[in-house]
Amino acid sequence: MRAIRVASAALLGVSALAMTAPAAQAQGDNSGFWATVRPTTVAPGEHVRLRATGCEQSVTVSSGVFDTVTIPRWRTTAWARVDRDARRGAVYEVSFYCGTFWQSVDLTIAGGRPDRPDRPDRPDRPEHPEHGVRAGEGGTLAGLDLKEIGLGAALIAAALGTAYHLSRRRTDGDGS
């Protein structure tokens, strides 16, 4: 009988820990750095909106078509003015740097014939968006940290220890 109680307590503990593992993995995911430039096609001299999410520090954005811009760590967007002498029809690379992570996005300068039009009838408006919706972590996964995970693990361990102690006391009291 005692082996069944111990096995049940162990199985309960392992199940509880297994249920908390996906939340811990989702919070520690470093692939959440995401960068976009809007609009993706712009005329010389116009502004573009630079957006970077998923970085815990300032993001540096550079390109051959505008001056280097820094997005402060507490913000996700910044604006840049495309040089007036940008070559029409050219595609420039815009690079976003978040510490050791980086991502690049293409920016097309309107007014000439683009290298690869998305649609022949409307080269400045692609038929499908480049990326899907980035809705964030949301729900119960938002805001988890190692302190909360450690506290949860400690509570689970305390519950298992209490259950084991109580099962030992009852067994000893039976006289077996």
Side-chain angles (χ1 to χ4, degrees), residues 6-16:
V6 171
S8 296
L11 184 60
L12 179 64
V14 169
S15 298

Side-chain angles (χ1 to χ4, degrees), residues 160-171:
L160 289 174
T162 302
Y164 177 75
H165 177 72
L166 291 175
S167 69
R168 289 271 306 179
R169 244 177 49 183
R170 267 190 243 132
T171 306

